[in-house]
Amino acid sequence: MQTQPHLQALLAVAEGVEDLETVTLIDVLRRADIKTVVASIETRRMITLARGTRLTADTMLLDVLAQDYDLIVLPGGMPGAQRLGEHEPLGEKVREQARAGRFFAAICASPAMALQPFGVLRQRRMTCYPSFSDRLSGCTFVDQPVVVDGNCITAQGPGNAMAFALTLVEQLCGKAKRNEIAKAMLVP
């Protein structure tokens, strides 16, 4: 029996990213056996999230940029989303991911504050936290909790973190794996 190669996701984090989104993404992706590397764009691994949660990243982003990932995902929250959007090495990595046809994703403020400046939303259907939609151009804002457009997956905010994370699992591993993970967590 042939085994599937281990899927890998990169979750980039910064000071002030949204607590619920960040922790939900880490938890759900790891439950699906997706190797999830949490990488800090800051000068240190220990960061403080938007609501005061302290998080120690697995590594520094600059140390893992040479590696390829099946998914790159950005949590939202302010000012974290803005910090992610201003980090040019991350921007180049996301642009490379998009060009290669591999999955990239963002939730809450990050589609508008990071993916938009990175230039990867052109002619795509996408969503973000609704009050950030006025910062978008060259793409179509869709007022839905989670939007999948090819290899780009976006979501609206903290209340959609579970649906977003499960959608990422489905895109990477299939509907059966999504359902298995959701059932184990008693997600309705």
Side-chain angles (χ1 to χ4, degrees), residues 74 90-99 102 104-106 110-111 114-126 137-139 149 151-154:
L74 310 178
L90 176 60
E92 182 49 42
K93 186 67 177 173
V94 172
R95 286 188 290 274
E96 173 190 303
Q97 185 85 356
R99 284 191 301 269
R102 293 188 300 265
F104 62 98
S110 280
L115 296 185
Q116 175 76 38
F118 294 164
V120 294
L121 294 178
R122 285 185 211 98
Q123 299 180 353
R124 290 192 182 267
R125 295 175 67 253
M126 53 75 62
S137 63
C139 57
D149 185 329
N151 60 331
C152 176
I153 304 145
T154 52

Side-chain angles (χ1 to χ4, degrees), residues 21 25 73-77 81 105-111 127-129 145 153-162 164:
E21 295 163 3
L25 286 163
V73 60
L74 310 178
I107 185 171
C108 195
S110 280
T127 196
C128 64
Y129 197 82
I153 304 145
T154 52
Q156 288 189 328
N160 309 115
M162 182 63 69
F164 178 57

Side-chain angles (χ1 to χ4, degrees), residues 49-130:
L49 306 184
R51 308 279 173 243
T53 303
R54 303 278 290 163
L55 176 84
T56 302
D58 300 318
T59 189
M60 304 301 294
L61 181 71
L62 296 178
D63 293 338
V64 295
L65 285 175
Q67 189 170 338
D68 286 335
Y69 296 91
D70 301 289
L71 166 70
I72 296 175
V73 60
L74 310 178
M78 290 296 281
Q82 183 169 349
R83 294 182 65 75
L84 292 171
E86 293 170 349
H87 195 268
E88 187 45 39
L90 176 60
E92 182 49 42
K93 186 67 177 173
V94 172
R95 286 188 290 274
E96 173 190 303
Q97 185 85 356
R99 284 191 301 269
R102 293 188 300 265
F103 289 109
F104 62 98
I107 185 171
C108 195
S110 280
M113 300 301 293
L115 296 185
Q116 175 76 38
F118 294 164
V120 294
L121 294 178
R122 285 185 211 98
Q123 299 180 353
R124 290 192 182 267
R125 295 175 67 253
M126 53 75 62
T127 196
C128 64
Y129 197 82

